[in-house]
DNA sequence: ACCATTAATGTGTGCGCACACACTTATTTA
DNA sequence: TAAATAAGTGTGTGCGCACACATTAATGGT
């Protein structure tokens, strides 16, 4: 058994003929060390390849890093937001031994006041770092301003709020994701028929994000010099089934040559439902592995889903903050996650979140 | 600052009116504890939600877990095997604080004797766990037998060796991956033209694996009652460019209606090269994000690559062994990794291995 | 009734580190 | 010249746990 005996601070001390206290001073440059010894010690550290034992350090310091996350609540299991949440939790169990605590606060998806309430609660806790899904632009900006006053670092997940001093944005490249959606739709369409890009919004959505998506989608076709009239856009101000059905009916009656739909949120299953009830053979590309989408994908009524590694987003967010706390390591300002292309045949591999 | 004071063994002791030694006995059931106290203590542990501090435990035990990995060497950077390797290393830095050491041993891809040499070296180290890429079936079986004699747990990555007592297999579902390849090829082919499934082997490959791939590929078309004559198979006993070109020339002259090729190893770029030099417009689906494949994908001469999360394989392997060591937790016997569908538009997101 | 077992419990030490504190010398200052 | 100050060092304690060992209480045999 080759016990790769770890080099300890004691070893360094013995080797350099000083006490551990002096080593400690050098490591943390607290001064009060004669230049000669300092240099000697630094050499010894090099030679012995000494690395402080993070375990012992954490134990001795007893430091706790409180990370607060502010994300939408998942009203039911299998809801989209339960996945980033599971990523946060997974990362917490990973890092909890190093004193990391992740407290998750939830706001209601269409209720800014709940956002503000929770934000204030978080502020009163004086956490060491924040993970924020800034779905409400204005409220998020206000919150972020307060964080900056308190010098609390924060990362965005899921969607970005450019122009802020966030430590990092961890999420999809939206424009590229729409470009991919376009390509996928095109690949199943035999190069003919019209296309619909369908937004469903409730008025609070990030308009910049939608613009990016539109631009990515259109870019694919303009790159090919396609006829721009092929692409239709429809915005429905609701995610309510009846409302969506009503609007879709109206639209499809006027536009009978639609062969493919790109649904720009996670509600592709609603459109799929509509197609099924009206026996329309129209292809669908959507976002996110929410339960309804998955079952429509498996039954073949949705063709592609684009998944933006939601679990990884949660994990990376915690990881980025942890590394900042412990190693003073600044993460990349933008961390784009993989855009997974999901079809019926590979969906199962993406579904197990232990 | 809400210091979420962690519950320690001391707290439990005080609360239960016993000494820490008794708590310790209960936790590790070393016996010698009166039933009443035992029950009392267990209740207190529940009530206070006591969780042993893994840091302190690791520090106190001073245990080191040596994991040896035996994988093919990566002759150049960007080689396929550098990715699982990076996964192993990433996991090591993650778990090194808990005493995990991952020693990687390399064998030459087409040299069984190098495999045996390294295997013996590993055995002489008496490691606590093994990660093995069992590309050489016979030699791997021999190695595994020796591991079992020594009761050293082992996991397979990349390819499975069914019928062995491995702790886990961490890798792709090959059959499904070929099924996906078929679907992708089909989706870009406008439902006509012949298909080629191309093996390149050097005689040492896992025949069972190839059978699985064939079966998955064929299943897709037979599910649709396609004409089986559409599918051609070719096996080239080399990965040498000249040899491959020669054999492909021979084949394409005889089979002029081929519209798509599925390359069953990571050498799709060779076929792509061939198509480019001979100006053939034939679609390609292949495996793995090796550097040459990526550049052909980006230039458009390869259409799809299927990636089998190589980095995750390395990470999960270490993780599985770690959890076995520390938590006595047996992993799933088969851990299939995601089969990522890679196209030009999303490849970049999969390429950064910090 | 005595000592020898055995069961049940408590105590002390070290893992590697950070940090407060104590201790030396040399250098000022009153 | 004594005392205060500073620069450079060493020592001791605790973080939470595991484990060897010391101690006490309960039971047995003769």
């Amino acid at each position: 058994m080759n016990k790769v005996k770890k080099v300890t601070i004691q070893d360094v001390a013995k080797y350099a003929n000083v006490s551990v206290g002096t080593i400690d001073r050098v490591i943390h440059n607290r001064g009060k060390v004669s230049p000669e010894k300092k240099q000697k010690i630094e050499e010894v550290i090099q030679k012995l390849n000494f690395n402080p034992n993070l375990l012992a350090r954490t134990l001795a310091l007893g430091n706790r890093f409180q990370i607060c996350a502010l994300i939408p609540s998942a009203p039911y299991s299998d809801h989209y937001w339960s996945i980033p949440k599971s990523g946060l939790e997974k990362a917490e169990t990973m890092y909890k031994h190093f004193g990391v605590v992740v407290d998750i606060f939830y706001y209601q998806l269409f209720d800014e006041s709940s956002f503000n309430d929770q934000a204030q609660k978080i502020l009163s806790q004086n956490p060491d770092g924040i993970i924020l899904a800034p779905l409400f632009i204005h409220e998020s900006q206000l919150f972020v301003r307060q964080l900056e006053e308190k010098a609390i670092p924060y990362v965005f997940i899921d969607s970005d709020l450019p122009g802020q001093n966030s430590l990092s944005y961890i999420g999809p490249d939206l424009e590229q994701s729409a470009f991919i959606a376009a390509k996928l739709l095109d690949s199943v369409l035999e190069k003919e028929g019209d296309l619909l890009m369908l937004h469903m919004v409730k008025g609070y959505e990030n308009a910049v994000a939608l613009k990016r998506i539109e631009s990515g989608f259109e870019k694919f076709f303009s790159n090919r010099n396609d006829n721009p009239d092929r692409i239709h856009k429809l915005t429905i101000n609701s995610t309510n089934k009846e409302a969506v059905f009503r609007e879709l009916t109206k639209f499809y009656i006027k536009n009978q040559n639609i062969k493919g739909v790109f649904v720009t949120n996670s509600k592709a299953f609603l459109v799929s439902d509509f197609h099924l009830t009206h026996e329309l053979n129209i292809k669908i590309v959507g976002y996110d592995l929410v339960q309804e989408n998955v079952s429509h994908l498996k039954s073949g009524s949705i063709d592609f889903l684009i998944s933006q590694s939601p679990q990884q987003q949660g994990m990376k967010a915690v990881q980025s903050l942890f590394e900042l706390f412990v190693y003073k390591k600044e993460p990349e300002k933008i961390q784009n996650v993989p855009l997974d292309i999901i079809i019926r045949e590979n969906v199962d591999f993406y579904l197990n979140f232990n």
Side-chain angles (χ1 to χ4, degrees), chain A residues 74-86:
Chain A
Y76 45 91
S77 77
D78 283 328
H79 184 273
Y80 174 75
W81 278 99
S82 67
I83 312 179
K85 173 171 175 280
S86 94

Side-chain angles (χ1 to χ4, degrees), chain A residues 281-309:
Chain A
N281 180 23
I282 298 177
K283 304 293 183 181
I284 300 179
V285 174
Y287 281 115
D288 301 335
L289 298 184
V290 303
Q291 192 261 316
E292 300 96 322
N293 279 348
V294 169
S295 62
H296 281 251
L297 185 73
K298 285 193 176 178
S299 70
S301 49
I302 289 179
D303 300 87
F304 292 99
L305 289 171
I306 296 174
S307 175
Q308 35 211 10
S309 315

